[in-house]
Amino acid sequence: MSETAPGRITELPLHIRRHEFAPALEMREIRERDGIELVHTPFGFDAWMVTRHRDVREVLSDPTRFSNTQHVLNSAGRSGISDTATQRVLEGNLLAADPPDHTRLRRMLTGAFTARRIRLLEPRVRDIVADHLDAMERGGSPADLVSDFALPVPSLVICELLGVPYADRDAFQERSGQLLDVSSTPEERVRVQLESREYMRELVLRARREPGEDLLGMLVREHGEDVGTGELAGIADLLLIAGHETTSNMLGLGTLALLRHPEQLAIMRDDPGAVDAAVEELLRWLSIVHTGTLKAVIADTELGGARLRAGDVLFCGLPMANRDPEVIDDPDRLDVTRGGLGHLAFGHGVHHCLGAPLARMEMRVAFPALLRRFPTLREVPGGAEFRSFNAVYGLASLPVDW
């Protein structure tokens, strides 16, 4: 195991290794051999790497065999995290919850992400996108697409939806970056989680005093007597992190992918009827979430021909599953005319991304608007900086001109 003296990981874990847009060759080799293999991780434990589409779907479909909560508890125990801190991290965290707690928490939020609700939000999203494109145009080229467009657009959207002050964005974006940094020690990650929870707890308490028309206000009015402040803070904290990290990285990395495939870019830019299919193909091809939440095996079982024992850890390789030739022809080719083909970019089963409708709508609005506003948009050669050691793949920067 490769670590610095304080315990920070310096060896890039297998499940997040990429060569620009493509998963690591070692991941492909696992899929082509057995599809599931026990590998050593730099975190100090062995884990099963699951790479085939059918096996990943099976894992994500069955929380009774593969538990999110139990993995968090096991990990905290290995790291010596106190029970009190662990329970605070678990409180209201949908990604760390199994049914029935997960079902109870998720049910409170479904109304906020219905098709009707997303349609009502779309005009405001179009205004936010247009405002940021105006600012880019005024600033002139070159510009950093990540800091000027890809990051601030979804950040402002989720802040307005939740009721989080946009003025606090630098602080919460720094915390989310630290939280998603897989090189962090467990102690560092817990500390940042608790700081983030405390920030959100103050916002929940403010909403309890004066509930607004935002999502926090809705949760307080409709569920405030049944759900504690800690759970409400946990729910909102996850929505804030997921709401800007995932969409922003899709916008940045997706733009770079299109710039490097100009014939695909032209389809998305010039044909409004092709946008929905193009968004789905970018989601599949990029698969920016490497694995989703790690899972613990509840009882001895079998998966993909391998015998798993209770307590084993599972990584679900979403990029490999989304490029499985058993599911899609020529899967390594970007083809924005394919449309949706059952990809797993938003996960599957009970933990399928709650905010997927919002993310899709933001991308359907933002990509064409960007490409039409700047028809000569191009990458500054050698300027793109890919993010490593991060639970969500993307770009740290993307210099562009036009």
Side-chain angles (χ1 to χ4, degrees), residues 38 45-48 71 78 294-297 311-315:
L38 191 65
F45 57 84
D46 293 340
W48 291 97
H71 170 70
R78 286 194 299 267
L294 276 65
K295 297 180 181 292
V297 178
D312 285 354
V313 180
L314 286 176
F315 287 90

Side-chain angles (χ1 to χ4, degrees), residues 282-302:
L282 287 169
L283 285 163
R284 178 199 72 83
W285 198 69
L286 297 173
S287 295
I288 60 168
V289 177
H290 300 287
T291 66
T293 306
L294 276 65
K295 297 180 181 292
V297 178
I298 296 299
D300 293 0
T301 189
E302 184 174 313

Side-chain angles (χ1 to χ4, degrees), residues 175-231:
R175 285 193 297 269
S176 68
Q178 293 173 334
L179 184 60
L180 296 171
D181 181 355
V182 299
S183 71
S184 299
T185 66
E187 294 79 10
E188 289 172 331
R189 192 169 293 111
V190 168
R191 175 184 56 78
V192 174
Q193 284 180 303
L194 295 180
E195 289 176 0
S196 188
R197 290 297 185 90
E198 184 58 29
Y199 167 75
M200 196 58 69
R201 181 177 176 276
E202 292 301 317
L203 294 184
V204 170
L205 291 174
R206 185 187 308 172
R208 284 192 183 278
R209 293 190 296 269
E210 297 181 32
E213 296 304 313
D214 48 59
L215 185 51
L216 276 180
M218 181 274 287
L219 288 171
V220 166
R221 284 193 303 273
E222 297 184 7
H223 306 285
E225 294 184 2
D226 305 318
V227 182
T229 296
E231 280 196 322

